[in-house]
Amino acid sequence: MDLSLINIFFLLLSISSVESCILQNEMQIHVINRLPTNSPQLKLHCASKGNDLGERLPAIDEDINWSVCEGFFFNEVYFCKFWWGTKEKGLQVYNDPFYCVEDSDDYNHVDNCKWEVRQDGFYLQQTSHADGSYYMYHYLDWS
């Protein structure tokens, strides 16, 4: 009987890693183009070790998003490269299921990592310690 329970567990685990997040935490990653109207086209390319999302050309205010099923070892990493006019930047947009990125200031109280690409850099949604509201934290400059 114990062997069949173990087999069922591993079957569920393998199914969850393929299609859905059964027994795992699902995180939504959002990258939103908040650049000014009439500015050069933003191009981005996001990928993890096993999942290449390809190049995208998001319109102003367009939300590029995808789901991550974080495994038991918390080792999923997504990296994005951004091009805007003469500017270019690469950064990890997800590497931690609790903070979105390891060097983030605040615990992520929702199951999403929301990024905004703006004229002065990259913003990550954070939670205020004072009142629990959400705000966009200037995480990184273009330079």
Side-chain angles (χ1 to χ4, degrees):
M1 175 117 174
D2 289 332
L3 184 57
S4 65
L5 288 175
I6 292 171
N7 288 339
I8 291 170
F9 173 77
F10 282 109
L11 177 64
L12 288 173
L13 184 61
S14 66
I15 290 170
S16 70
S17 66
V18 173
E19 291 296 326
S20 63
C21 292
I22 300 170
L23 303 176
Q24 298 173 329
N25 184 41
E26 181 178 10
M27 183 69 72
Q28 295 285 324
I29 314 295
H30 297 264
V31 178
I32 304 168
N33 181 354
R34 297 281 192 224
L35 291 168
T37 307
N38 299 323
S39 67
Q41 175 66 56
L42 174 67
K43 179 170 81 170
L44 62 97
H45 184 187
C46 298
S48 69
K49 184 177 180 181
N51 188 15
D52 188 338
L53 302 171
E55 284 188 0
R56 302 292 294 270
L57 301 170
I60 302 298
D61 295 327
E62 184 177 350
D63 180 352
I64 305 296
N65 60 78
W66 64 95
S67 297
V68 175
C69 290
E70 186 60 76
F72 294 109
F73 301 108
F74 304 124
N75 58 358
E76 193 72 35
V77 175
Y78 273 86
F79 179 88
C80 293
K81 182 97 180 216
F82 299 88
W83 297 267
W84 181 53
T86 60
K87 299 177 181 185
E88 182 177 320
K89 194 68 162 185
L91 67 128
Q92 289 185 1
V93 295
Y94 178 81
N95 62 25
D96 187 291
F98 305 107
Y99 293 87
C100 293
V101 288
E102 291 173 347
D103 59 348
S104 176
D105 289 340
D106 290 314
Y107 181 80
N108 181 15
H109 295 279
V110 294
D111 290 331
N112 68 62
C113 294
K114 181 179 176 183
W115 291 89
E116 291 185 357
V117 182
R118 299 183 187 179
Q119 189 169 6
D120 62 342
F122 302 85
Y123 287 74
L124 176 62
Q125 179 177 282
Q126 298 282 275
T127 306
S128 169
H129 291 289
D131 61 8
S133 64
Y134 300 108
Y135 66 97
M136 298 307 290
Y137 166 72
H138 188 181
Y139 179 80
L140 188 66
D141 290 329
W142 275 100
S143 54

